[in-house]
Amino acid sequence: GFEMTFSLDTLPQEYPANNTDFRTPAYQVQFSDGSAVTDLKYKHFHIYKGKRKLTGLPATYIEEEEEATSIDFTLMDNQTGLQAILTYSTYEQSNVITRSVRFINHGDHPMSILKAMSASVDFRESEFDLLTLYGAHANECNLSRKRLTAGSHLIESRRGASSHQHNPFMCLAKPDTNEEYGEVYGFSLVYSGNFIAQAEVDQFETTRLSIGINPFNFSWHLGSGEIFQTPEVVMVYSYKGFSDMSRTYHELYRFRLARGQYRDCLRPVLLNNWEATYFKFDSDKLLLLAREGKELGIELFVLDDGWFGKRNNAKTSLGDWYVNKQKLPGGLKTLAEQINQLGMKFGLWFEPEMVSMESDLYRNHPDWCIQVPNRPKSLGRHQLVLDLTRAEVCEYIIESVSNVLLSAPISYVKWDMNRHMTEVGSLALPIERQRETGHRYILGLYYILEVLTTRHPTVLFESCSGGGGRYDPGMLFYMPQVWTSDNTDAVSRLKIQHGTSLV
């Protein structure tokens, strides 16, 4: 008789493993016996109106159930008890599909997730141009467009943040696509940490695009009954060129990713004192600047770095979030009220995720920063990164920032983050969870931002990471405004703004 045979290596797949498919797998799990072979098989599906929230993670949302329809596909590996639930949501009014994956250990033994992409999509062709956004500090979001060729083309961050170097976005476009014409497939990851996005062209000239948490220095210990949730990827299709794709992302991210009372508001024009004074200021100098700004029609005065602790240079006091009374004898309250009397609002700069070794916080809690025992702690910008995998560190940041915000009429916060991670580890995590540090840090950050933005709904939060070092959809969920770049040169900004505006 005739026997039907096929190879998984030639078939398009929805969430591929690495069994007889030699292309890039979407996930990899190692079991307690050391093996990493899985066989997830389809069990059932569930279609429902609306869109569920992701536990502990930012995601696009709905305000009315009718705005979206979702489907959960449940896959099961019977031998190990590994379950994967693939969730897709479609927005009724736009060409958007969101995807994410939830892993559950229904077995009796722990397992380790080594790789877990948010989406993997197989295209039956390879005639595409690949568009990505690359750059550096003060040179973010340069547009790269190149023809796909055989092999893998990837962008990634291993820095602990989405990074200046690559935006967590990738799109495939037909070679003749321009702003107004042609097919585009966009993939944008709602995540602020280490990511990878990869387009692989195989021997049969088909293309696999995958995007998600970077497997570099990552694993997740999944005990019996435990759940792991991947971030969401937002997939946009356009047959009217790049402009239509951009408008689709813009509308979704402005109205169904950004939140809070400032989401739909015109934002205030602001003056930031940093380049005018650096660390050398007092109340008189700041008020002089504010008066000049008021005459120019500026609506918000922002006090930048140097207002706290003994912060007279970049080597000290990060983590000590109390007012420097030598510079501001009347405290923030007096200064803010004086600014308000001029008819302007008052804003403040923080860098809450960092700590200076020369600080009360570090002297009292040297174990509270990201580090590996018996290894040097490299300084970046004279500072270390606080360990947001620790609940007590998260609570310290929440309470210290909250106390400042309650102490004066503060309308705006510039939330900065100027240093990427090195020697990544946590003194609070067990051995088998050390490679969870990077992702747990981001989960801790999201928890902090959720609490603070909920507790202080009238404050406009702006995300900043040395400019555009964490300009990603994950941060937009908590802060509806982002500082695009530290480079404010008008000619440079034309290119930076153009690339950023693609998504």
Side-chain angles (χ1 to χ4, degrees):
F2 178 70
E3 185 181 336
M4 284 286 287
T5 60
F6 65 89
S7 166
L8 291 176
D9 203 36
T10 65
L11 291 178
Q13 292 182 68
E14 205 55 33
Y15 203 65
N18 59 343
N19 294 355
T20 57
D21 181 352
F22 297 99
R23 294 165 291 178
T24 304
Y27 71 100
Q28 189 177 29
V29 178
Q30 186 169 28
F31 301 100
S32 55
D33 63 359
S35 70
V37 175
T38 53
D39 189 18
L40 285 175
K41 288 189 172 170
Y42 167 79
K43 287 295 181 188
H44 52 80
F45 72 90
H46 172 52
I47 297 177
Y48 50 97
K49 272 288 175 198
K51 184 178 190 292
R52 291 185 186 136
K53 295 178 179 179
L54 298 189
T55 305
L57 285 166
T60 56
Y61 61 87
I62 54 171
E63 290 188 346
E64 304 291 338
E65 205 174 60
E66 288 69 36
E67 289 179 21
T69 306
S70 300
I71 183 166
D72 291 343
F73 290 104
T74 298
L75 315 178
M76 194 75 192
D77 180 14
N78 290 326
Q79 188 168 320
T80 60
L82 173 66
Q83 185 184 62
I85 300 170
L86 313 181
T87 298
Y88 304 65
S89 296
T90 62
Y91 278 83
E92 299 298 332
Q93 299 301 317
S94 57
N95 288 327
V96 171
I97 301 174
T98 67
R99 283 183 63 172
S100 66
V101 184
R102 195 159 74 251
F103 288 92
I104 307 169
N105 179 2
H106 288 291
D108 299 326
H109 304 287
M111 51 185 75
S112 292
I113 298 173
L114 306 179
K115 180 181 184 179
M117 293 294 97
S118 295
S120 177
V121 179
D122 285 343
F123 295 86
R124 297 309 299 263
E125 59 195 311
S126 63
E127 285 290 309
F128 291 113
D129 285 355
L130 176 71
L131 269 76
T132 60
L133 299 167
Y134 72 95
H137 174 247
N139 183 25
E140 292 86 350
C141 283
N142 295 270
L143 196 58
S144 166
R145 181 175 184 171
K146 60 186 178 186
R147 187 64 50 87
L148 277 186
T149 55
S152 290
H153 309 253
L154 67 85
I155 57 168
E156 62 181 334
S157 174
R158 299 181 294 268
R159 294 168 170 265
S162 49
S163 85
H164 303 268
Q165 286 69 26
H166 291 288
N167 191 278
F169 164 81
M170 182 175 270
C171 78
L172 297 179
K174 289 294 182 179
D176 58 351
T177 297
N178 59 28
E179 283 293 332
E180 304 301 332
Y181 167 86
E183 286 193 293
V184 190
Y185 299 88
F187 298 80
S188 175
L189 188 66
V190 187
Y191 188 61
S192 308
N194 292 334
F195 78 93
I196 191 166
Q198 180 171 348
E200 181 184 22
V201 176
D202 74 351
Q203 58 190 335
F204 303 112
E205 295 183 352
T206 66
T207 305
R208 173 170 291 173
L209 195 144
S210 53
I211 186 168
I213 294 173
N214 199 332
F216 173 80
N217 203 20
F218 167 84
S219 68
W220 194 271
H221 182 82
L222 200 66
S224 182
E226 290 183 346
I227 298 170
F228 179 78
Q229 173 69 57
T230 74
E232 176 175 279
V233 60
V234 178
M235 310 191 306
V236 167
Y237 171 73
S238 165
Y239 60 90
K240 298 178 188 172
F242 299 116
S243 291
D244 181 61
M245 180 194 73
S246 292
R247 286 190 293 270
T248 303
Y249 274 120
H250 291 179
E251 189 168 345
L252 184 72
Y253 285 175
R254 283 176 65 195
F255 301 114
R256 291 297 178 265
L257 180 69
R259 302 178 297 166
Q261 72 173 52
Y262 290 95
R263 185 189 77 178
D264 307 330
C265 293
L266 197 63
R267 310 293 161 70
V269 179
L270 69 86
L271 170 65
N272 182 303
N273 73 296
W274 179 241
E275 279 87 358
T277 67
Y278 294 106
F279 292 110
K280 296 178 180 176
F281 60 80
D282 56 24
S283 298
D284 292 341
K285 191 185 273 192
L286 296 175
L287 286 166
L288 182 66
L289 279 171
R291 288 190 196 100
E292 294 284 333
K294 174 62 180 172
E295 286 186 29
L296 294 169
I298 289 168
E299 301 158 309
L300 167 66
F301 182 85
V302 179
L303 175 55
D304 207 277
D305 197 354
W307 59 266
F308 54 93
K310 296 170 183 163
R311 182 77 163 174
N312 297 313
N313 58 58
K315 295 182 178 179
T316 178
S317 299
L318 285 174
D320 297 347
W321 300 111
Y322 52 84
V323 182
N324 183 327
K325 287 291 181 77
Q326 285 182 312
K327 291 181 182 176
L328 304 172
L332 290 172
K333 188 171 189 290
T334 300
L335 176 64
E337 286 172 349
Q338 289 171 321
I339 299 284
N340 289 168
Q341 284 163 13
L342 295 173
M344 302 172 79
K345 293 185 172 181
F346 179 72
L348 202 57
W349 177 96
F350 287 90
E351 193 173 5
E353 300 165 61
M354 301 293 151
V355 63
S356 306
M357 292 184 83
E358 182 55 46
S359 68
D360 293 339
L361 181 62
Y362 185 79
R363 281 186 287 271
N364 293 330
H365 300 284
D367 54 327
W368 276 16
C369 61
I370 297 286
Q371 60 186 288
V372 174
N374 306 314
R375 294 290 182 187
K377 292 190 279 289
S378 302
L379 289 174
R381 208 170 167 269
H382 310 292
Q383 60 200 53
L384 296 166
V385 183
L386 286 173
D387 183 359
L388 304 193
T389 73
R390 303 176 77 127
E392 64 271 31
V393 175
C394 295
E395 295 306 327
Y396 173 82
I397 293 173
I398 289 167
E399 293 312 316
S400 54
V401 172
S402 262
N403 289 340
V404 174
L405 295 182
L406 292 170
S407 73
I410 295 165
S411 304
Y412 163 100
V413 166
K414 187 181 185 76
W415 184 290
D416 210 346
M417 194 285 283
N418 284 305
R419 182 230 199 275
H420 290 148
M421 290 185 191
T422 56
E423 294 96 26
V424 179
S426 169
L427 300 185
L429 291 175
I431 292 168
E432 69 274 11
R433 293 197 181 273
Q434 283 301 315
R435 288 164 69 98
E436 299 176 12
T437 303
H439 182 58
R440 284 186 179 274
Y441 177 96
I442 297 295
L443 294 177
L445 173 63
Y446 290 155
Y447 166 72
I448 290 167
L449 298 183
E450 183 68 35
V451 173
L452 282 174
T453 54
T454 303
R455 197 181 284 187
H456 304 280
T458 61
V459 175
L460 170 58
F461 284 84
E462 177 178 276
S463 172
C464 175
S465 178
R470 219 164 41 186
Y471 201 137
D472 59 65
M475 294 306 288
L476 279 172
F477 184 73
Y478 304 98
M479 304 188 183
Q481 187 161 306
V482 185
W483 183 233
T484 311
S485 179
D486 281 350
N487 184 348
T488 55
D489 174 80
V491 176
S492 298
R493 271 292 184 115
L494 288 173
K495 188 176 64 171
I496 293 168
Q497 300 284 138
H498 174 71
T500 304
S501 75
L502 187 68
V503 204

